[in-house]
Amino acid sequence: MPTGEPMFSVCMRDCYDTCSLISRFKDGKLVVKGNPEHPITGGFLCPKGALLPKWFHSGDRLKVPLIRAGKRGEQNFRETSWEEAISMVADRLRETIREHGSESVLVYQYSGDRGIINYSFPLRLFHYLNASMLDYGICDRAGQEALKDVYGTAVGADPEALRDQKLIVYWGINAFWTNLHGFVLAEKLGLERWTVDAVKSETAKRSDKFFQIKPGTDVLFALGIAKLIIKNELYDEEFIRQTTFGFEKFRDYVSKIELEFVASETGIKKSEIEEFAFEYSEKRGVIHIGYGMQRSLAGGEAVRAISLLPALVGHRFGFIYDMKSIDKSYAEGAFLRKGKIKRIPQMKLAEYIEKGDIKFLYIYNANPLASLPNQNRLRKAFEESDVFVVVHDIFLTDTALFADVVLPANTFFERLDIADSYYHRYVALNEPVGRLHGKSNYEVTKMLASALGIKNPYLYEPEEEIIRKILEKNGLSFEELKKKGFIRVSEGPRGYSTPSGKIEFFSQRALGRGLKPFPEYKPMKGKGLQLLSPTHRMTITSQYHNTYGMIDPDLHMNPEDGAVRGIGDGERVQVYNERGAIETKVKLTEDVPRGVVVLYKAFWPKILGWNVNFLTTDEVDEGYGNSSAYHSTWVEVRKAGREK
């Protein structure tokens, strides 16, 4: 039961900021605030975080397990007991492994909840069963591979080190919406802020300089900047000589690039390219490389090119992309597995279901029937296959509608956990504030292990014991963590895990993976308008749509593109391509350039009737780890009612 005593919590959402919270119950209601002691959280929450009590107390939370009683996709379930539900799941799991082998079982999870135990502990069971695992590709994979090609790691600068900088460049990220605490930190530190983006975002509107680029041309813009820095001898010669590999060959490569071509392709004037190069070299800016920008067929090459700019001006790690401050692998328990892991590409889920490779699908911390692309294909695969689907979630999501068994999950306010950040170097404590509904991933995993008759002690290890072992392995103290609710992880000596042991302008790793040694520009061609699908301010992918209801389903279009099609502001339009069609209202705005339209991503189809992923491509960039290519989607738009 709720105690009313202040407790430490962590916002476990898939967000850079990973805020430390102070939570308590007052008059039967949850109250949250930002931890004022935390250097990044700084005592305030973003609009989504401020509304967490509404999410926690939502009347739509699942309270009892459900078993499907009708067709997939229909809201036709019967309520059942936990005992029957767990028994059914365990029986079907045994049957699947017996008849089709353990690799026909796939656990599908992602970062809907980033608590280290809640995220990782269920994987212990599936490692023990030798089940298939995901090869993640939906979010930041292309950039991860690209940065490893250059630096040997995707871990960049500590944001607190920005105090020693003059400039931050937001490249392909709307930080005011998705990294608000980082944006405020840069503001407090007095940094000059530039934005490079295809759309005039809220971040762009609050920046000192804005470079509006045509989608897919980032690699060329970065190479053009590099050419100018080198040609005008603005680079750090000593740093280049001691710390980099292949500079001379790279210099020859970019010398062939014509700035007039860069300007015509990118839409950025030659004078602006020169302005960027000269001022960036002088101010030695840190570049925050966004995830959204690299979710295209040109994304990996773009990140590789952008990441070379900090090296030119003498930064050892002059970018922000990822942060891995602790080793948390113990929670996952891969040591329980016998033999190699079969990994199924996340972006090819529909394909593997269609082929019959997946017979049992266990889904938690994810809502793929809202978040994955080409939804018509994916939903058809679910409907026509014999795959047995189990979903463990807080709400009856679109994915849950296609499940055979639905298990109610609880929230991070109802369990013990810790969380790290992929932006800053703090680990935060999450204490249970109270209990309302559902069970944690940890609890359900233990129940399933017991129902399967598994005695292995690692599948029943207490949460606090796991936390203590992870912290101790990283030289941290649980007692110290409990004092303030967070603890900073100090940074050790850093090097470059590349073949040369240096920053590689000439990438040997890329060459070994079948790519060119230098970033390459390939124009992206498509029919109609290029569709971008960034995240909305009040959602994190599909999360919060059902509880906050603050969405923007409009199609954002340039007025000139509207005029060509005879479309006026506020009119109903059909957006369509070979994958599907949706109908919505159009918003004409100069914030979106010609040739581009914007629909915010992953709202709930069961509420809205559609989302952008009924249009997005399920192509992948195989050269960059089967990474997603959402923004390599083209559509056409016409007034609603004009369908042929």
Side-chain angles (χ1 to χ4, degrees), residues 177-454:
W177 279 12
T178 61
N179 178 218
L180 180 60
H181 291 82
F183 188 86
V184 170
L185 176 65
E187 186 175 53
K188 286 180 178 177
L189 294 173
L191 270 65
E192 189 173 342
R193 293 171 295 191
W194 299 358
T195 293
V196 181
D197 209 324
V199 175
K200 193 172 185 180
S201 65
E202 290 303 314
T203 302
K205 293 172 183 177
R206 289 166 169 79
S207 294
D208 298 288
K209 294 184 189 294
F210 173 46
F211 301 86
Q212 190 161 23
I213 192 169
K214 292 179 183 177
T217 65
D218 303 81
V219 61
L220 193 58
F221 184 37
L223 292 175
I225 294 165
K227 173 191 173 80
L228 283 168
I229 291 173
I230 295 170
K231 180 181 177 182
N232 292 279
E233 298 183 350
L234 303 172
Y235 58 91
D236 188 324
E237 188 175 348
E238 182 69 15
F239 181 85
I240 294 293
R241 184 170 55 253
Q242 293 187 357
T243 318
T244 72
F245 173 84
F247 172 74
E248 290 78 12
K249 291 180 180 179
F250 179 71
R251 178 179 58 199
D252 294 341
Y253 176 67
V254 297
S255 69
K256 301 178 178 67
I257 296 171
E258 297 294 336
L259 288 186
E260 290 76 11
F261 178 68
V262 176
S264 65
E265 290 291 288
T266 63
I268 298 174
K269 296 176 183 177
K270 183 181 175 182
S271 60
E272 292 179 309
I273 302 170
E274 292 170 338
E275 177 187 13
F276 191 115
F278 281 88
E279 290 197 32
Y280 174 77
S281 300
E282 177 192 347
K283 295 166 183 173
R284 300 179 70 250
V286 170
I287 302 177
H288 191 155
I289 306 171
Y291 295 161
M293 176 271 298
Q294 51 88 63
R295 294 178 194 141
S296 82
L297 295 175
E301 295 292 281
V303 173
R304 194 149 57 113
I306 295 163
S307 74
L308 294 173
L309 300 180
L312 284 173
V313 299
H315 272 304
R316 293 191 70 245
F317 295 95
F319 63 90
I320 293 173
Y321 192 78
D322 192 14
M323 179 61 69
K324 290 182 173 65
S325 59
I326 62 170
D327 178 354
K328 50 195 177 185
S329 59
Y330 178 75
E332 180 177 332
F335 52 81
L336 295 169
R337 178 176 291 272
K338 298 179 181 68
K340 292 183 178 180
I341 302 174
K342 177 182 178 180
R343 292 202 179 271
I344 291 177
Q346 186 176 20
M347 306 312 295
K348 296 186 177 183
L349 179 62
E351 177 185 328
Y352 278 76
I353 292 175
E354 290 165 351
K355 292 192 300 183
D357 288 4
I358 303 169
K359 298 297 183 182
F360 185 102
L361 183 60
Y362 188 90
I363 301 171
Y364 73 95
N365 283 4
N367 187 11
L369 271 78
S371 60
L372 284 181
N374 202 350
Q375 281 289 314
N376 281 320
R377 179 186 181 186
L378 181 61
R379 287 164 183 248
K380 184 179 180 183
F382 269 77
E383 289 167 354
E384 295 182 354
S385 76
D386 59 354
V387 61
F388 189 84
V389 181
V390 181
V391 171
H392 185 202
D393 208 302
I394 300 167
F395 299 101
L396 193 65
T397 62
D398 279 88
T399 305
L401 291 181
F402 284 76
D404 295 282
V405 177
V406 182
L407 304 174
N410 64 10
T411 70
F412 54 80
F413 291 108
E414 298 162 278
R415 54 181 168 77
L416 177 66
D417 214 331
I418 57 173
D420 62 344
S421 168
Y422 53 82
Y423 172 66
H424 56 70
R425 299 195 61 83
Y426 292 91
V427 173
L429 174 64
N430 188 81
E431 299 173 304
V433 186
R435 292 294 297 258
L436 287 187
H437 313 296
K439 297 184 185 296
S440 69
N441 292 333
Y442 171 83
E443 291 171 308
V444 170
T445 301
K446 290 200 305 178
M447 293 170 74
L448 277 173
S450 178
L452 290 166
I454 301 171

Side-chain angles (χ1 to χ4, degrees), residues 39 59 66 76 121 205 213 268 275 292 325 348 363 384 457 475 516 558 571 600 603 614 642:
L66 304 172
N76 190 352
F121 187 80
K205 293 172 183 177
I213 192 169
I268 298 174
E275 177 187 13
S325 59
K348 296 186 177 183
I363 301 171
E384 295 182 354
K516 298 291 179 63
N558 187 277
E571 291 191 305
Y600 291 111
F603 300 138
F614 284 81
R642 289 186 178 177

Side-chain angles (χ1 to χ4, degrees), residues 42 163 180 189 521 615:
R163 66 172 63 92
L180 180 60
L189 294 173
Y521 172 61
L615 301 168

Side-chain angles (χ1 to χ4, degrees), residues 21-53:
L21 315 175
I22 296 176
S23 309
R24 66 188 179 96
F25 273 84
K26 182 178 181 180
D27 300 326
K29 295 293 183 182
L30 179 68
V31 178
V32 299
K33 66 177 182 178
N35 189 337
E37 301 296 320
H38 193 283
I40 304 298
T41 305
F44 79 96
L45 300 176
C46 75
K48 296 182 290 288
L51 289 172
L52 280 169

Side-chain angles (χ1 to χ4, degrees), residues 543-560:
Q543 290 177 318
Y544 302 137
H545 176 190
N546 63 315
T547 51
Y548 299 170
M550 299 179 187
I551 66 167
D552 177 1
D554 293 350
L555 178 77
H556 295 245
M557 173 187 272
N558 187 277
E560 292 184 42

Side-chain angles (χ1 to χ4, degrees), residues 487-500:
I487 190 168
R488 179 175 168 81
V489 184
S490 59
E491 185 176 32
R494 298 192 65 185
Y496 306 105
S497 300
T498 57
S500 65

